[in-house]
Amino acid sequence: MSTSKGDVEMTSDSSGIAQKRHRPLKRTPSTSVPPMPWFGIDIGGTLTKLVYFEPTDLDEYVESPDEQIREKTIHRYLTTNKAYGETGVRDVNLELSGVRINDRKGIIHFIRFPTDRMLNFVRLVKEKGFAQMSSTVCATGGGAEKYAKVAEEELGMYFHKSEEMRSLIKGIEFVAQNNLDECYYYDNPLSKDYKKVIWRWSSARCSTTDHIHEDKKCPPPEGLQYPYIVCNIGSGVSVVLVRSHNDFKRVSGSSIGGGFFQGLCFWLCGCETFEEAIELATKGDNKKVDKLVGDIYGTDYDAAGLPSDVIAASFGKVFNKEDAKNIKKEDLASAALVTTANNIGSIALNIANHHGIERIVFAGNFLRVNPIAARLLAHAMNFWSKGTKKALFLIHEGYFGAVGCLDKLVDVTNTRRMEKNSKSTTPSQASSSAGEDKEGSIEGGENVVIKDDEEMKTPRD
Amino acid sequence: MSTSKGDVEMTSDSSGIAQKRHRPLKRTPSTSVPPMPWFGIDIGGTLTKLVYFEPTDLDEYVESPDEQIREKTIHRYLTTNKAYGETGVRDVNLELSGVRINDRKGIIHFIRFPTDRMLNFVRLVKEKGFAQMSSTVCATGGGAEKYAKVAEEELGMYFHKSEEMRSLIKGIEFVAQNNLDECYYYDNPLSKDYKKVIWRWSSARCSTTDHIHEDKKCPPPEGLQYPYIVCNIGSGVSVVLVRSHNDFKRVSGSSIGGGFFQGLCFWLCGCETFEEAIELATKGDNKKVDKLVGDIYGTDYDAAGLPSDVIAASFGKVFNKEDAKNIKKEDLASAALVTTANNIGSIALNIANHHGIERIVFAGNFLRVNPIAARLLAHAMNFWSKGTKKALFLIHEGYFGAVGCLDKLVDVTNTRRMEKNSKSTTPSQASSSAGEDKEGSIEGGENVVIKDDEEMKTPRD
């Protein structure tokens, strides 16, 4: 168990972490709670997303000198830089403060780097001597499996692994609860006068169910509104049906997602980054490359309800060098973007129709710096559902898995507690106590303060 | 009304059309029946499909000298050539004999050419003087709308237009009834020992419903088994739900079809024809270009039921020149083919699941000379449905719309008859008589002989 070092050392802290310096009562964190600092890492097919939880309640807790030093070192490195190694980037604008995880209050920082630099990242962590420091890493995404061995062998770093879809949903619900302005939708998405409208999840607007509520002059239901669909667009696409807090299932997916778009833009246009591909696509005109219903029919295809400007065949207009003369690479990038967005929209809508669901939340890093795709999706949902379904978007786009896997901290805490309790109580008691502790999870709709071991309840100097 | 020219002229016919030369009784076709020769044309986004009905019952009918001459001229041109103009091709192997349309017996010939040569085709028809001859052209597909004006103004040729999905379904059911070996499926589609197995539609094998029938020792139901899904892959993709003979609806679609594949193969590999693209794709390995679940996870993604060899991100493996060094254009063509086939399979399966349907019939010219795509689809249906759904394929791949729109002949006949009858009967009688005549349609499950005007029932020399 760590012991308190009192206020003296805390006041000498120049890192700005301590908020209330002279509060006399301090708690020593339970030894069941994994040591700080806490990291969540989502190692995806293309991008790795890393979140770092910076505690801001240091004046309330007694920490060991070890913990203090490593927190300070890592904190300084991460928060004084915006770029790490050659390719790591911190999304400063996404920083989320005042959040509470596993009974601690703090700030979540958001960092990303390409997964193919994972080994460089491991090297960086080793060089900077962070390996021993970051003793608690929660991990998800395919790479959590793939790189677990390297992390353990090279860094002695153990991944607390969390299932990918579970992390995604936990992360979305946690962030949406902690950031009132997280969620938005588009009004008139394809017009010049389009508007981004903040949608407060808890006020449950934007569904036909809600309109019915309004008509009947009933107040709309409060809190997260189930069921909803999450369409997560990373390298590939996963569609998850969320029926309630703990009831969700991956019901569909597609290999035509961000990886497809970036790959095509590399092969067709030579783009070596996602940003470059998006920039090119923004300047192009897919209609020069795609075959439209109007190109085939000369007009609308009324019997099937297809207007003339709907794409009949993506990339279906040009098959020879003569016709290719007028096509710029911008047009090809645009066609790649529109193909991707439309196909995803169609899959999401089919699933929403199948399950009779009105809320479709789009997430994932394909939507980063990519308002065109978001607006295409918004338009597609609105148009094909005749206004009954609405596309919703989230500001923290691709970071939900990394945030959500921090939920694993609670499991780890519970497991440690069970192990400890099992020495002093009967197994059934231990199990029951662990079950109660589960309330502190980041799953909860409320920011419930975790029940901790007795030792935590003891005030200290 | 035309008059009989007797047997003398028929025996001098060297074209091989007449089958029974000495039958003494001949009928004069009703003036309500549109004059021969009959053409069905399906003008698609990329390919135009033309079917020509060659009557073989000439010894039973009296035809005008005009009709005889134009039939003979067109017949000779079409059946002595396998190629027309620069790009027209006749699929001799698909020739369908012994079919009965609108009370006439004959052979259907199958011809195709690229739709972008439509104006060349119009010129050819004009040059050869076929325009006045082919007085009955039934047309469908987007181009039936787009080119109607040109056909009328340039050739004086009027299109009897038929809706595209209606033509498709009528055509499939007509051909499947007339060709017992039309339909097939694959056993072990992705293994080296795969087998193509002929599936007699009328014996209704290959569905779990049928297995239940077998288990219960009940005979399987006879005839066409409803409901089924048709997934037609031309330039774009249409998914049609067929509940019964006259109850079908386009329920989904995709812009990722044959046009997408051919377009990508042009842009990525420089292929200027579909055949070239298929040949290249056959030699390549998509796994060098696509990112697999195993590339991300290092293993299967068990929680989502995704084996390691499933594609997580099409074209998602290579984003830079260094990695691109080992990739051949064959690999890119292969990835384009696999992307297309898998996406279509996924859409078809979602729809089949949504509607609880076990039979998925794949048609359209994307499947021409393209067994890889068919086998991928067969595998996908089998794998993702855990064997409960089976992909079925049809030998006449892309020609069903062109065949099915010949159904319009019956409508035209009925309309003409109504107009004629309305001069001699009350309107209500005319309507009722037209309704009865409808039996002769090619829609019927049986080859019902059409009831004709009184004049047809009069034997003549």
Side-chain angles (χ1 to χ4, degrees), chain B residues 402-436:
Chain B
V403 173
C405 73
L406 284 175
D407 191 46
K408 200 71 192 173
L409 288 170
V410 181
D411 292 346
V412 174
T413 307
N414 287 334
T415 307
R416 289 175 171 219
R417 193 166 296 151
M418 273 175 71
E419 285 167 5
K420 213 163 58 176
N421 287 352
S422 69
K423 291 171 192 164
S424 54
T425 63
T426 66
S428 67
Q429 280 173 309
S431 157
S432 145
S433 132
E436 282 169 31

Side-chain angles (χ1 to χ4, degrees), chain A residues 277-294:
Chain A
I278 291 289
E279 202 188 324
L280 219 59
T282 308
K283 295 178 193 156
D285 179 5
N286 70 297
K287 291 189 171 67
K288 292 185 179 166
V289 179
D290 293 338
K291 185 161 270 181
L292 308 186
V293 165

Side-chain angles (χ1 to χ4, degrees), chain A residues 128-293:
Chain A
K128 301 270 173 195
F130 292 156
Q132 315 88 298
M133 296 182 182
S134 55
S135 33
T136 309
V137 178
C138 298
T140 191
E145 303 293 335
K146 187 174 172 183
Y147 293 101
K149 212 175 160 189
V150 173
E152 212 168 333
E153 288 178 358
E154 295 280 316
L155 305 176
M157 187 187 276
Y158 177 76
F159 284 170
H160 300 288
K161 280 178 256 175
S162 188
E163 200 280 314
E164 196 170 340
M165 294 305 123
R166 177 187 155 92
S167 300
L168 172 68
I169 304 305
K170 298 292 164 194
I172 288 175
E173 301 202 346
F174 180 77
V175 174
Q177 283 157 23
N178 280 278
N179 182 23
L180 280 181
D181 294 348
E182 180 65 26
C183 189
Y184 62 94
Y185 65 88
Y186 285 95
D187 252 355
N188 302 315
L190 291 195
S191 101
K192 279 181 187 167
D193 314 319
Y194 77 92
K195 266 189 211 158
K196 248 171 111 166
V197 186
I198 290 172
W199 183 83
R200 295 261 159 85
W201 203 313
S202 61
S203 71
R205 281 149 50 193
C206 299
S207 81
T208 47
T209 316
D210 302 334
H211 292 318
I212 291 164
H213 281 288
E214 278 170 29
D215 290 345
K216 289 183 178 171
K217 291 177 184 171
C218 284
E222 289 299 318
L224 280 179
Q225 297 302 309
Y226 299 105
Y228 62 92
I229 278 170
V230 175
C231 184
N232 193 56
I233 319 171
S235 306
V237 180
S238 285
V239 185
V240 186
L241 168 59
V242 187
R243 291 215 175 274
S244 80
H245 202 51
N246 274 309
D247 179 5
F248 44 81
K249 194 184 171 190
R250 185 183 190 277
V251 287
S252 188
S254 171
S255 68
I256 296 181
F260 171 81
F261 167 67
Q262 197 173 337
L264 275 198
C265 285
F266 168 69
W267 290 109
L268 294 171
C269 320
C271 302
E272 295 211 5
T273 67
F274 181 74
E275 289 77 0
E276 207 184 325
I278 291 289
E279 202 188 324
L280 219 59
T282 308
K283 295 178 193 156
D285 179 5
N286 70 297
K287 291 189 171 67
K288 292 185 179 166
V289 179
D290 293 338
K291 185 161 270 181
L292 308 186
V293 165

Side-chain angles (χ1 to χ4, degrees), chain A residues 306-421:
Chain A
L306 298 175
S308 64
D309 62 350
V310 162
I311 299 165
S314 296
F315 288 91
K317 198 177 257 167
V318 179
F319 300 156
N320 62 66
K321 284 177 193 140
E322 187 55 34
D323 294 343
K325 281 180 183 164
N326 299 322
I327 309 297
K328 293 177 299 179
K329 59 182 182 174
E330 285 83 352
D331 303 325
L332 295 171
S334 168
L337 184 62
V338 174
T339 302
T340 308
N342 280 353
N343 196 61
I344 292 168
S346 163
I347 291 170
L349 198 63
N350 275 338
I351 294 293
N353 283 333
H354 186 162
H355 296 279
I357 290 175
E358 293 148 5
R359 291 170 179 80
I360 306 165
V361 182
F362 291 91
N365 269 320
F366 175 62
L367 297 169
R368 197 174 63 78
V369 297
N370 192 2
I372 293 185
R375 289 165 59 196
L376 283 167
L377 286 167
H379 173 76
M381 292 307 103
N382 188 42
F383 181 82
W384 296 110
S385 76
K386 298 187 173 68
T388 63
K389 300 191 195 301
K390 203 146 201 160
L392 302 171
F393 303 92
L394 302 172
I395 286 171
H396 285 84
E397 288 146 355
Y399 280 111
F400 300 105
V403 173
C405 73
L406 284 175
D407 191 45
K408 199 72 192 172
L409 289 170
V410 181
D411 292 346
V412 174
T413 307
N414 287 333
T415 307
R416 289 176 171 218
R417 193 165 298 152
M418 273 176 71
E419 284 166 5
K420 214 164 56 176
N421 287 352

Side-chain angles (χ1 to χ4, degrees), chain A residues 163-164 255 295 297 301 314, chain B residues 146 163-164 255 297 301 314:
Chain A
E163 200 280 314
E164 196 170 340
S255 68
D295 293 328
Y297 276 76
Y301 175 14
S314 296
Chain B
K146 187 174 172 182
E163 200 281 314
E164 196 169 340
S255 68
Y297 276 76
Y301 175 14
S314 297

